Amino acid sequence: MSWLELLNNLESGAVRAASQNESGQWEANVEVKQGILEAFKNGTNTEFAGGFVDKHNLAPQEFSTDDGVRMVPGGSSVRRGAYVAKGTIIMPPAYVNIGAYIDEGTMVDSHALVGSCAQVGKNVHLSAAVQLGGVLEPIGASPVVVEDDAFIGAGCVIVEGVVIKKGAVLAPGVRLSATIPVYDCVNERQLDKGEPIPEYAIVIPGSRPASNEWAREQGLSMSCALIVKYRDEQSDASLLLEEVLR
């Protein structure tokens, strides 16, 4: 498949930069990522309207009412090679990078970033200033994944291939990476490194004592995340405002 065919297939949703294997684990599609890198190599810098400069073959997408996407005016951009499904709402300014996948009914709020190859499921809310990290290299590295019905609060940062499972809720300001520990206070355990945030978990920012003795003496602490409960009817009620916004 040529890089041009690949970009077209990414935009139509025919191929994705990552998918779930038979055991339900997310894996990067190496051939897709190689094709995206090939598109960069074959592009030359060119000027676009508004004073922007980018590769000539990676121009921002334009939408029509037939696409079923509502992209509100004010500086948002969806780059070539990203998939945005019907029913998606993109508030300004937001940016969706190449290889990203956004499924039906998702809200991408102001100042949100959906990084390269990030995968976002159906009916997800990415609140204001949410950052989903992108990854093109190393070629085999899995991207950030946010599964169906998840709610990501304002200012959350999710990077380094972290997976948020179905229905999970992240409170504003949660930061997740491969090295930030997550403690499940309900089941009284620490999640293994690389373990996804469980389905329907409610996660808040936390802190833990620094490991260095001197740092502990100074009262210093390090970032972590805490699962404080799992969603029930009461917590679901707090998300009804999202349906009004749709």
Side-chain angles (χ1 to χ4, degrees):
M1 183 188 305
S2 69
W3 59 262
L4 180 57
E5 291 174 312
L6 173 65
L7 294 179
N8 290 335
N9 286 334
L10 282 168
E11 289 181 11
S12 70
V15 299
R16 298 176 64 165
S19 59
Q20 288 179 289
N21 60 25
E22 293 181 355
S23 63
Q25 295 179 318
W26 286 89
E27 296 179 341
N29 188 329
V30 173
E31 292 183 356
V32 167
K33 294 175 73 175
Q34 287 175 332
I36 292 173
L37 293 173
E38 191 67 23
F40 276 100
K41 292 177 182 177
N42 283 273
T44 55
N45 284 342
T46 189
E47 296 178 7
F48 293 97
F52 299 105
V53 176
D54 198 2
K55 300 291 186 177
H56 79 282
N57 53 355
L58 300 178
Q61 297 182 45
E62 297 181 359
F63 296 97
S64 70
T65 53
D66 293 336
D67 296 311
V69 174
R70 179 153 66 95
M71 188 155 86
V72 181
S76 295
S77 182
V78 176
R79 202 177 195 184
R80 182 88 161 93
Y83 173 75
V84 181
K86 291 181 181 295
T88 298
I89 301 170
I90 302 175
M91 301 298 290
Y95 188 70
V96 181
N97 208 345
I98 189 170
Y101 186 101
I102 301 178
D103 217 330
E104 297 177 357
T106 286
M107 164 76 81
V108 181
D109 215 333
S110 300
H111 298 282
L113 166 68
V114 181
S116 54
C117 300
Q119 306 290 296
V120 181
K122 292 181 172 66
N123 303 315
V124 171
H125 185 118
L126 302 179
S127 302
V130 165
Q131 307 288 297
L132 304 184
V135 59
L136 285 175
E137 295 181 292
I139 202 74
S142 295
V144 169
V145 177
V146 181
E147 294 186 356
D148 297 352
D149 303 315
F151 189 99
I152 312 299
C156 288
V157 178
I158 307 170
V159 297
E160 297 177 345
V162 170
V163 175
I164 310 298
K165 299 296 285 184
K166 179 179 178 180
V169 176
L170 271 58
V174 171
R175 294 175 179 267
L176 296 172
S177 73
T179 56
I180 293 178
V182 179
Y183 297 93
D184 187 336
C185 301
V186 178
N187 297 304
E188 299 182 354
R189 60 179 291 263
Q190 180 180 346
L191 268 61
D192 294 332
K193 185 175 181 179
E195 183 178 349
I197 299 297
E199 291 187 3
Y200 303 109
I202 297 180
V203 187
I204 67 170
S207 63
R208 60 193 176 106
S211 56
N212 178 276
E213 182 177 350
W214 179 87
R216 289 199 302 270
E217 291 174 353
Q218 308 309 309
L220 304 179
S221 60
M222 302 172 64
S223 176
C224 69
L226 307 175
I227 299 173
V228 292
K229 64 179 298 186
Y230 287 81
R231 285 173 64 174
D232 53 26
E233 292 182 2
Q234 183 177 0
S235 58
D236 285 345
S238 67
L239 304 179
L240 291 178
L241 178 61
E242 167 60 7
E243 297 303 319
V244 176
L245 293 175
R246 292 187 190 282

